[in-house]
Amino acid sequence: MDAVRVALLREVLAGTQWLGATRRFAGALRGSVVSHGGGLLLVGTPEFEPWHLAAHLVDEAAWSGTPELAPTLVRHDARPSDPAHLAVGLGRLEAARRGETLLVVSPEAPAAPLLERVSDARRAGATVLSLGPGEGELTAMAHERLAVPDGSELDLDTVQHLVSAAAGENALPTPRGRRRFRDRVARLAEHLTAPPPARW
């Protein structure tokens, strides 16, 4: 989903809880990684790997001048023969430490093995964020959460787009008063003329 579609989606969602919720969550994500100088780990489940969100966060990191937003995608079935950005396995969660941020994205409650690793990362001092179901053990252990339960008006994929766009956008200085139309058009033009994203 490109910047134009995100802008249109935001217009459609104006007046709903989703814009505020995604911006709040994106602000927490950005604030965590920027204040600690980076170290964003992104993990899903064996059935749902958030590689698409990883690609969008890399783009937003470049476009917003906030390199800390670029995540390390942690995969369940990573192999040493995979390209470097796809070869990071679950062992990386065991090495998580204070100052790192762990974002867990899942359409349903993760299984016990992943929950144990997330719990260990939290005990080691990592900040845990959860994007997915609104209940369960993961929700209880997350420092920040954004619930996208089954039957929501938006699906998890759409919410990921809103979060990634807001994370990059929130990195910009907030102008005084309302943003002028020219400023909004300039921001959109920057998105549209940016180099193409890296392939995942």
Side-chain angles (χ1 to χ4, degrees):
M1 186 178 294
D2 59 30
V4 173
R5 289 185 181 139
V6 169
L8 290 172
L9 178 59
R10 285 176 172 166
E11 283 185 31
V12 170
L13 294 173
T16 70
Q17 56 131 7
W18 287 107
L19 290 184
T22 53
R23 283 192 166 126
R24 179 196 56 77
F25 186 79
L29 170 62
R30 187 201 71 251
S32 180
V33 297
V34 170
S35 65
H36 293 110
L40 174 57
L41 304 174
L42 177 61
V43 68
T45 64
E47 300 79 23
F48 182 87
E49 290 191 331
W51 60 267
H52 198 91
L53 177 58
H56 281 292
L57 286 171
V58 167
D59 290 344
E60 291 297 336
W63 290 332
S64 67
T66 312
E68 300 90 348
L69 282 174
T72 298
L73 179 62
V74 178
R75 301 180 63 225
H76 291 260
D77 294 321
R79 296 180 298 274
S81 60
D82 290 335
H85 64 287
L86 298 175
V88 178
L90 290 176
R92 179 62 181 87
L93 297 184
E94 295 169 8
R97 295 291 174 255
R98 181 172 305 285
E100 293 187 305
T101 302
L102 172 57
L103 173 54
V104 184
V105 183
S106 173
E108 55 195 32
L114 178 58
L115 288 173
E116 289 169 12
R117 291 173 191 253
V118 172
S119 178
D120 290 344
R122 181 182 164 120
R123 276 198 299 273
T127 300
V128 176
L129 287 84
S130 165
L131 180 56
E135 53 189 31
E137 290 182 58
L138 176 61
T139 302
M141 73 175 72
H143 294 94
E144 291 287 338
R145 65 203 59 79
L146 178 56
V148 189
D150 280 340
S152 294
E153 302 90 345
L154 299 181
D155 61 14
L156 185 57
D157 187 54
T158 303
V159 172
Q160 289 178 80
H161 283 289
L162 291 169
V163 167
S164 62
E169 195 173 71
N170 288 340
L172 297 173
T174 304
R176 291 185 179 180
R178 291 192 64 181
R179 290 179 71 183
R180 294 186 324 211
F181 177 74
R182 188 170 29 157
D183 296 332
R184 293 193 307 261
V185 170
R187 170 98 170 119
L188 178 61
E190 286 174 15
H191 275 288
L192 296 176
T193 58
R199 294 195 171 207
W200 287 82

